[in-house]
Amino acid sequence: TRLLLKNCYRQYRQYSKVQTVLKNNLISLLDTVFPNVNRLFSSPIRGDGSEKWVDFVLEFSHCDMISKLTIKAFAKKYKKWSDKNSYHFTESSCEKIYAFAKDCVSSVSSDKAIVFSVVQAAKMLISATENCHAIQSEMNRVASKLPEYDTVMNMYGVGKAVGPQLMAEIGDPRRFHSRKAITAYFGYDSENNDSGQKTTRSNPMTKKGSGALRRTLFIIMQVLLQTKPQDNPVYDFLIKKKSEGKHYYSY
């Protein structure tokens, strides 16, 4: 079961890299036809990983597709699109998007070829996102069979996406005889520089072990720093180290 979970996570990391490449490619394309449209929406990412701006450019792939319409005609199309994709429609947001499109300056005209390129790039990104979400769901299903699942999922900052990743990289926690052992496995310990005459203890961490595990732990710490949970011992420890003047990456 642990091997299956680790294999799933390895696949998830590969798909995540592809997803990042496709997202950057789509944004690069949009910079020529609809600059900064990806920053226009503040809606959070949905549970299935989909983002509103990606769905939006699939329908409105060029700023001219909005700016050449009247505000009334665009409002009608935008409402129809919002209802179809289960997004909340408001007149204020509609007017904001319309004004944004009017002010946009594209370096390429709304030719069929460029619109086709944007649509295909958006579809490929959506497909990659769906694959990532499917693998995440499978990872969670496999991880739920393991005895430490409930303990890990009850940790603050750990959800159904990060929890299975943590479990996949740690493996069987019972093989570590102490906290020091698992810290060394993370690569967060430091090696003594002992020449026989002089011993230096303030060395950088070894970074031995899984880089993916360190990345997962870093994500969890970021959640703690962003949400600032009260009376959480881990968060209190982070703030204590920060007050001591430690560097961001250090504490």
Side-chain angles (χ1 to χ4, degrees), residues 10 19 22-24 42 47 71 79 83-84 92 99 104 127 132 143 149 159 161 178 182 202 209 241 243:
R10 289 290 184 267
Q19 183 187 22
L22 291 173
K23 182 179 286 189
N24 290 337
S42 57
I71 180 64
K79 187 177 188 311
D83 294 341
K84 179 183 176 181
S92 59
C104 266
S127 177
C132 283
Y149 179 76
S178 67
I182 197 168
S202 57
K241 292 300 175 183
S243 66

Side-chain angles (χ1 to χ4, degrees), residues 16-250:
S16 293
K17 291 176 183 177
V18 173
Q19 183 187 22
T20 301
V21 170
L22 291 173
K23 182 179 286 189
N24 290 337
N25 175 61
L26 178 57
I27 292 172
S28 179
L29 269 174
L30 290 170
D31 283 342
T32 63
V33 297
F34 209 156
N36 295 322
V37 66
N38 55 303
R39 301 177 184 177
L40 190 58
F41 302 98
S42 57
S43 302
I45 299 174
R46 288 180 167 179
D48 60 358
S50 61
E51 297 183 66
K52 188 173 182 179
W53 71 271
V54 180
D55 294 335
F56 181 81
V57 299
L58 194 60
E59 181 72 20
F60 304 98
S61 308
H62 197 288
C63 59
D64 289 350
M65 298 174 73
I66 299 173
S67 61
K68 289 184 177 180
L69 300 173
T70 63
I71 180 64
K72 187 175 180 180
F74 170 66
K76 185 177 179 180
K77 290 189 71 173
Y78 181 62
K79 187 177 188 311
K80 183 178 179 181
W81 173 83
S82 298
D83 294 341
K84 179 183 176 181
N85 293 275
S86 302
Y87 287 115
H88 182 62
F89 172 83
T90 61
E91 289 187 5
S92 59
S93 64
C94 179
E95 291 171 357
K96 178 184 176 182
I97 295 168
Y98 186 76
F100 181 84
K102 279 285 190 182
D103 290 337
C104 266
V105 179
S106 62
S107 57
V108 183
S109 62
S110 54
D111 184 81
K112 285 185 179 180
I114 191 65
V115 170
F116 175 81
S117 298
V118 173
V119 169
Q120 292 304 309
K123 285 181 177 179
M124 290 176 70
L125 176 56
I126 290 170
S127 177
T129 302
E130 288 174 350
N131 286 333
C132 283
H133 177 68
I135 295 176
Q136 270 190 343
S137 299
E138 183 63 13
M139 284 171 57
N140 190 64
R141 185 191 69 80
V142 175
S144 65
K145 297 178 180 181
L146 297 173
E148 69 270 23
Y149 179 76
D150 290 337
T151 302
V152 173
M153 298 305 289
N154 284 328
M155 292 167 58
Y156 193 95
V158 174
K160 290 184 177 181
V162 178
Q165 295 178 25
L166 193 64
M167 294 168 63
E169 288 302 320
I170 291 176
D172 190 349
R174 293 169 295 188
R175 61 197 174 101
F176 298 104
H177 58 78
S178 67
R179 182 180 64 184
K180 288 184 178 180
I182 197 168
T183 301
Y185 181 71
F186 290 165
Y188 283 138
D189 60 335
S190 59
E191 291 181 328
N192 292 336
N193 183 8
D194 191 350
S195 64
Q197 296 179 344
K198 182 180 179 182
T199 300
T200 304
R201 295 184 179 276
S202 57
N203 291 314
M205 63 183 186
T206 62
K207 288 191 177 181
K208 293 178 180 178
S210 171
L213 176 56
R214 287 192 294 275
R215 178 181 176 276
T216 301
L217 290 171
F218 188 77
I219 291 171
I220 297 171
M221 294 304 104
Q222 281 186 312
V223 172
L224 284 162
L225 291 170
Q226 289 169 1
T227 55
K228 302 177 181 178
Q230 300 300 312
D231 300 322
N232 182 285
V234 181
Y235 176 71
D236 292 342
F237 180 80
L238 291 172
I239 296 304
K240 176 185 175 183
K241 292 300 175 183
K242 181 180 180 181
S243 66
E244 292 175 0
K246 297 282 187 182
H247 187 272
Y248 176 75
Y249 291 114
S250 178

